[in-house]
Amino acid sequence: MSLVQGRRNDLIKKSCKPPPLTILSHPLGDGVQFDDFSLTTDISDSVHYPPSIHTRVLKGSSCHADTVLANHRSNPQPLSSNDVRTFSKSWFHVYSQKKTNCSRRTMCAAAAHLPDLVSGPVCHRRSRRAKKKLRKQQRQLLEICPPVDQIIFSMDDINNNIIVFDGGNSSCPIITPPKRVTWRRHHVSDLHIKDDLRGDIGLTYRRIDGCLPFIRLPRNTSLAIISACGLVKVYNALQACENLRSPLCRSNKKRVFTDFGKPPCYACVGPQVSRNSPKVHNHPSFMDKLPMHHWESLLWLMRRAEEAFKTIADHQVISHIHFAKNAVPFKTFVMNRENSNSAKFFGGIAFGTNVFLRCHTDQDFTMSMSQVFVKGKPHYHLDDDVIVYFCFPTLGVAVPLRPGDYLLFNPLIPHCISSRCKQEDEIMCVSMYLKTAIVGLNDNLLPLTPLQERLADRFIQYKL
């Protein structure tokens, strides 16, 4: 299968204008050629992998709901083939200014995992662990295969329009845009919805550059991870953060929506780069008033997400972030006290009540995690109803999420959370991530170490 190679936006000549995108009747199954055209966007100092691998669009509307019954015990075995290749590392993001120290630090972190930079025994153990993880994924994950007539969205479509997805059931009112906002509303049934009621089976999609673009963990695994701490503590900590934070106004590209006529309740906590100085703050200032027991609950939430990450993520993704942390001492989530424990590699937590987002991408250094909760429900069960959908319009897929479900996903692939399925539910959507700006340390005057210089040069040499 051939595919357009990811382009570096900062190397595209301004005089080169992309051809207009057209509506294409395009199957998505095995053995299909992708169209040989590229998509360019505004000149930027950042590199998104991939900036142009999802450039097809079909128009229409259909509902493809496919559920595997609980008594179906076949082995999924979906993950050893059917790999889309873009000739770029499509699951991490760096800044592309070769001469600035912050950008070179992100390159250094991205290249630290390369096999020729570690010893032979380390490479051998890495290969053995990768094979072991693949076998585990083959046992536990079912690959979503959209039908050939599935509608998908182009990057041009997503960049030029506010696209939102309505996850409401038949009794839920249609979502309405705020004043002076024009959006394109789609129901989640316009995407392919695959579910599996077995607690020991998760969901994924065919590999892109050897990496799974998203993974919904098996529900038994998710419930086991969150069972160690009372959910009420998590609710209370997140609610306390929301109450401390005034309504957050995000950029138009990542605007947060909620029920019509209500201000969105949304907050981001964790390390943040300073806009006025070359610093990275441990947390936003409004978090200074948060009681310590809530800090402990947030750290618990972050560490559980990292545990879920390590449980199912591709081995090369785990190795990538491990070596990146060793190469660059970037900040992760830490409590507001001296000598406290910290997260291992995630930095920020973003969360909101009854919110949904427009389809967008994020400048995250590596894979991110999302989790959903229902307020007022102290215990979750295997057969809980779906409460929201996580949508990937360029893949044509919507992933159903139940309370407590973990979803690992590639933030460089356009994505969004839908509106909630039931009007009477009060749901909390939480995402854990690591911003590329945090990895760069936000200080161009801070010199790179000799090792970091070599790693950054190696990144450029390999054209990652």
Side-chain angles (χ1 to χ4, degrees):
M1 178 178 293
S2 64
L3 190 63
V4 176
Q5 181 176 351
R7 305 290 182 87
R8 293 181 52 166
N9 295 340
D10 59 317
L11 299 183
I12 298 173
K13 296 181 180 179
K14 295 183 179 180
S15 61
C16 297
K17 295 183 178 180
L21 297 183
T22 57
I23 300 173
L24 302 171
S25 180
H26 214 304
L28 195 64
D30 293 343
V32 177
Q33 294 286 332
F34 278 38
D35 296 288
D36 189 18
F37 60 78
S38 62
L39 173 70
T40 58
T41 56
D42 295 336
I43 301 301
S44 169
D45 72 336
S46 64
V47 177
H48 292 268
Y49 297 94
S52 60
I53 67 170
H54 306 296
T55 55
R56 300 153 292 155
V57 59
L58 299 177
K59 291 190 176 179
S61 177
S62 63
C63 178
H64 300 284
D66 188 5
T67 301
V68 178
L69 298 180
N71 59 358
H72 187 271
R73 302 300 301 173
S74 62
N75 190 341
Q77 292 290 340
L79 306 175
S80 59
S81 60
N82 198 20
D83 184 1
V84 179
R85 295 198 176 275
T86 64
F87 309 102
S88 66
K89 293 299 183 184
S90 59
W91 42 270
F92 62 81
H93 169 268
V94 302
Y95 292 124
S96 62
Q97 292 291 339
K98 298 181 181 179
K99 295 183 180 180
T100 64
N101 286 348
C102 287
S103 295
R104 287 179 63 80
R105 267 188 291 270
T106 66
M107 298 177 190
C108 155
H113 77 298
L114 292 175
D116 62 338
L117 300 177
V118 297
S119 64
V122 172
C123 286
H124 176 72
R125 290 194 297 269
R126 182 186 296 182
S127 175
R128 185 174 58 191
R129 290 168 182 164
K131 293 178 181 178
K132 183 177 180 180
K133 178 59 70 67
L134 176 60
R135 290 193 295 268
K136 180 178 182 179
Q137 291 173 337
Q138 289 175 331
R139 291 193 308 268
Q140 296 187 358
L141 299 179
L142 179 68
E143 184 180 280
I144 298 175
C145 298
V148 294
D149 60 346
Q150 174 61 48
I151 63 169
I152 55 177
F153 297 74
S154 70
M155 284 296 299
D156 186 56
D157 218 16
I158 290 167
N159 290 334
N160 295 329
N161 299 279
I162 298 177
I163 296 178
V164 298
F165 282 86
D166 189 339
N169 57 22
S170 58
S171 63
C172 198
I174 295 176
I175 56 176
T176 304
K179 295 180 180 179
R180 295 182 295 277
V181 172
T182 301
W183 67 28
R184 273 178 44 189
R185 170 193 165 273
H186 294 264
H187 195 266
V188 291
S189 59
D190 289 347
L191 301 175
H192 179 70
I193 300 173
K194 180 80 172 184
D195 202 358
D196 196 301
L197 304 181
R198 295 171 290 179
D200 58 347
I201 296 296
L203 298 177
T204 188
Y205 187 84
R206 61 183 178 180
R207 295 182 181 276
I208 298 175
D209 293 322
C211 183
L212 298 175
F214 67 81
I215 299 173
R216 190 189 78 181
L217 268 69
R219 185 152 177 79
N220 287 345
T221 303
S222 295
L223 295 180
I225 290 175
I226 66 174
S227 64
C229 180
L231 290 173
V232 175
K233 294 181 180 179
V234 175
Y235 300 149
N236 292 341
L238 296 176
Q239 189 69 59
C241 291
E242 283 188 347
N243 293 338
L244 290 174
R245 177 67 168 172
S246 57
L248 182 65
C249 181
R250 304 185 78 190
S251 66
N252 286 334
K253 288 187 176 181
K254 301 177 184 177
R255 186 162 181 174
V256 177
F257 302 104
T258 188
D259 297 338
F260 181 76
K262 297 181 180 180
C265 295
Y266 194 86
C268 298
V269 301
Q272 292 185 349
V273 297
S274 172
R275 296 183 179 182
N276 303 317
S277 62
K279 296 180 180 179
V280 177
H281 300 299
N282 286 335
H283 54 267
S285 57
F286 74 87
M287 293 283 289
D288 290 336
K289 300 179 181 178
L290 189 69
M292 189 53 59
H293 65 280
H294 289 327
W295 277 103
E296 293 172 350
S297 296
L298 291 178
L299 180 61
W300 177 91
L301 180 67
M302 180 71 82
R303 295 295 292 269
R304 298 288 76 72
E306 292 180 337
E307 185 67 26
F309 183 99
K310 293 185 294 183
T311 296
I312 202 66
D314 286 306
H315 178 74
Q316 69 266 30
V317 175
I318 300 174
S319 178
H320 175 263
I321 188 62
H322 170 77
F323 283 96
K325 190 68 172 67
N326 289 340
V328 179
F330 55 82
K331 290 185 177 182
T332 58
F333 187 88
V334 62
M335 292 192 296
N336 186 24
R337 67 183 183 192
E338 294 184 1
N339 302 320
S340 63
N341 294 327
S342 65
K344 292 185 177 180
F345 43 80
F346 282 145
I349 307 177
F351 49 90
T353 300
N354 296 337
V355 298
F356 57 98
L357 288 79
R358 68 173 291 181
C359 188
H360 67 283
T361 59
D362 293 296
Q363 292 188 2
D364 294 353
F365 181 72
T366 187
M367 294 281 191
S368 300
M369 293 287 300
S370 278
Q371 192 175 23
V372 291
F373 302 95
V374 174
K375 289 185 177 181
K377 190 171 183 178
H379 303 286
Y380 298 152
H381 306 283
L382 182 64
D383 58 350
D384 285 336
D385 291 335
V386 174
I387 60 173
V388 75
Y389 292 86
F390 205 98
C391 303
F392 298 93
T394 57
L395 304 180
V397 171
V399 183
L401 297 179
R402 294 175 173 81
D405 275 346
Y406 283 103
L407 182 78
L408 171 71
F409 68 98
N410 181 350
L412 305 182
I413 296 176
H415 60 276
C416 63
I417 196 82
S418 76
S419 63
R420 64 193 187 277
C421 298
K422 297 179 181 179
Q423 181 73 12
E424 60 270 22
D425 283 345
E426 290 284 311
I427 71 170
M428 179 78 73
C429 301
V430 183
S431 292
M432 280 71 69
Y433 52 84
L434 174 64
K435 291 297 180 185
T436 303
I438 300 297
V439 177
L441 303 186
N442 196 40
D443 188 355
N444 281 321
L445 297 180
L446 179 66
L448 275 69
T449 67
L451 175 60
Q452 290 174 344
E453 289 282 6
R454 290 196 300 271
L455 290 173
D457 291 339
R458 190 63 59 90
F459 178 93
I460 297 172
Q461 176 186 346
Y462 278 92
K463 300 180 180 179
L464 294 179

